[in-house]
Amino acid sequence: MTVVVGVDGSGRTRRLGEIATAAGRPAVRVTPATTDDLQVLLNQARADDALVLVDDAHHLEPATLRSLTVAARGGASMAIARRPTITGPELADLDEAVSGQGPVEQLGPLAPADLAELAKEVLGRPATSEQLAALQVASAGLAAVAVAVAADPSGTPPALVARLQRRFAAAGRDVAGLAAILALGLDLADDVVCAATGMDPAEAAATMRSLRDEGLLTPDGERMIPAIARAVLFDLPPSERRRLHETVATALLATGADPVRAAGQLRAARARTPTAANVYRQAGDRLRFTDPGSALTWYDDALDAGAHPSTVAAGRAEAATLLGVPVDLDGPAAAPADTGRIAMVAGAAAAYDGRAGRAAEALLGADAPGPVLAVSALVVTGQLAAARTAATGSAPLPVRRLADAALAMTDPAAALPLLIEAAESFEQAPPPVAVPDLPHALGALVAVVAGDSATAEHLLDRASTSGAGGPVALDRHRTLLAWVRMRTGRYDSAVAELRRLSGTTLPGRERLMYAGLTAGIARRSGDIAQLRAAWSVAEPVLARRAVDLSQLEVVEELLVAAARLRHHQRIAPVLADLAGIIDQLDRPTAWAVSLGWIRLQIAVVGEDPTAAAAAADELASLDPAGFRQQAQCRAAGRWAAVLAGEVDPDAVLADAAELAAAELPWESSRLIGQAAVRTTDASAARRLLERARELSRMDPVPDETQPGASHGGLSDREVEVARLVLAGRTHREIGTQLFLSPKTVEHHVARIRGKLGVTTRAEMVATLRSLLPEES
């Protein structure tokens, strides 16, 4: 007694034949086609002591099943084959009668060896490992499907198509409809399947069991066998496929499926219907702020599927803005309901371009939360009253906190904790809008003015780690971080960032920051060529006269570079614009000190004692509360005195120490170095120069020369002097750069000549050019 259980096509009939052969006795076969002579067959089996083979027991009539059950219980030797699902009590009784006296065999996917043997029979030769692997995937190991695929591996086997047509014609539209949906290969939830087929859960479950029993599904019953799926879709005309995709897309929307997941499934099915276009658009809208790159691809799919450009214009603009991709705001018009979103994109794009005034104008004309987003742009352009009015508008909590912090920016020490809180709020619940600037960046800029670089670095590190603001913000945060570290005497990050951004297209605001970073490194390394390169980037940006309060400290590097390169025509207008903003804000002390400090640094570079004295007097008239500003004001008076030839070494060291403590080490070393070359006391000069060198060695600009390169026996210091000689510097300029007296520079140059074996300056320069490669 044996029960063989397997889906259609698994080899049930073949297995019954093997059982009969193994029994070594006569056999009679009962099938749905022979039931009219059932009693005759049973009598013959009893007379001949034959084995009764019952094939496709699940298709037999109840009366036939009852008769077979009586025979089995009466001692007839019997083996039956059926599908996995027992569909009625009569089949259950027969199964129990037979299985109670013998084994139950479950036919599953073919084992690798059996599949190989089957392929050999079909092909007439052994199959390769690649062929067997492909056959296993396509057939899921089901014998009947494997035979068809092995015979026609490159296409859709006609035998499979015909088999499916017969099955679906007999089964009805519900089964065929569910099979078609499963053939798409989508990972659909049960409620989506029910919505797409119009079945209730019980009907859908029963139909799935039927498809499994008919050998159309993989052994786990979760998906359709790949070769079967291809055959199902092959038999559908294009119009029917489009209708099918539309049906699935509609069901996904109706059941509230996640649009990104739904879009991924429809993309896999290459759905190009109006409803699919709507799902693709929704996926883009869902991702436009968290994954703008993916969002753009979904919007492209929506357009390919027939979406009207106006329905995706706003979303595309938002995603493109976060990617730093130029946005054509004059392109396809957005839907009327989305004009407010486009206005906010225009505001963000203007801010990225470094035009805070235009950003504020665009945002004030946008729907909520546009006016609240405009607050920071209004403050940094000096429009404090308008900023206070705009801050009363409606906006999500993170945006309101950013606005509150921006209103406090006139006092950096008070604004900083508010900006930290706003940054945390943005990370916890990013608002679904294009933001002109994140609180992390504003917080870092304010922290530098407050003399708190640790907080600036912390905010920028968090922003880069979290990916807040999208790719365009990542460049801003990384460049700002490098700038903060450069200002505090750590140049490694700045140099690395310059290399990373070289050749990158940056928006105007970041071009200004990049130029400031380049100028700062060039000024600190004495590289005039790099300083000129920085100015070539900065000059067109400064010429737009679009500077604002948030750029003040960065602009310092550029205006000092302009003074060093004698481009004075660019300095006065920018200083006037910044002074006008500060005046409009009622001259907040911290920012007024920063502006006065820029004037002092310009005077120092130009070695203009009169201008330095005027800048020092301006700073002395202020009453700063912050330690950094107090150190700057005291150092300004000392610097003006040094330029006038009045050097008090102890006082210089004391004021310089405060500058270093206020995180201005470069300025501290410059003050000491300039005092050293102006004092007439040789002992004091040596003491000052030693201290200046200590400060300048905090984190030297990395040497760009090749490791191990031969320098003709020159020491590191002599190489530094030699490079500056090649740059055309005088002994005095070299001494100022390296914190050496002009006499010491003269001694270095003499030693260089001696080591190189040359007698004239022209010979020395020619030899040095062959020894020292040009620095990029």
Side-chain angles (χ1 to χ4, degrees), residues 326-347:
V327 179
D328 181 13
L329 297 176
D330 296 323
D338 291 334
T339 54
R341 289 166 60 188
I342 291 292
M344 279 187 278
V345 169

Side-chain angles (χ1 to χ4, degrees), residues 693-718:
R693 280 193 289 270
E694 289 174 1
L695 286 167
S696 67
R697 284 197 296 265
M698 285 184 65
D699 181 9
V701 178
D703 184 6
E704 298 296 325
T705 60
Q706 293 295 322
S710 173
H711 295 148
L714 303 183
S715 68
D716 289 344
R717 175 60 83 185
E718 286 163 353

Side-chain angles (χ1 to χ4, degrees), residues 579 582-590 592 595 618 621-622:
I582 290 173
D583 288 342
Q584 286 178 272
L585 295 174
D586 200 21
R587 291 188 61 77
T589 303
L595 183 62
E618 177 188 346
S621 68
L622 302 173

Side-chain angles (χ1 to χ4, degrees), residues 289 321-322 344-345 347-349 351-352 363 373 376 399 402 426 430-439 469 472-473 509:
F289 296 115
T321 298
L322 291 186
M344 279 187 278
V345 169
Y352 299 161
L363 291 168
L373 283 171
S376 57
V399 176
L402 174 58
F426 264 74
V433 290
V435 182
D437 207 2
L438 289 179
V472 72
R509 184 173 63 187

Side-chain angles (χ1 to χ4, degrees), residues 756-772:
L756 298 180
V758 298
T759 56
T760 67
R761 181 180 178 84
E763 289 177 331
M764 178 180 70
V765 169
T767 305
L768 287 175
R769 281 179 178 154
S770 66
L771 281 176
L772 305 177

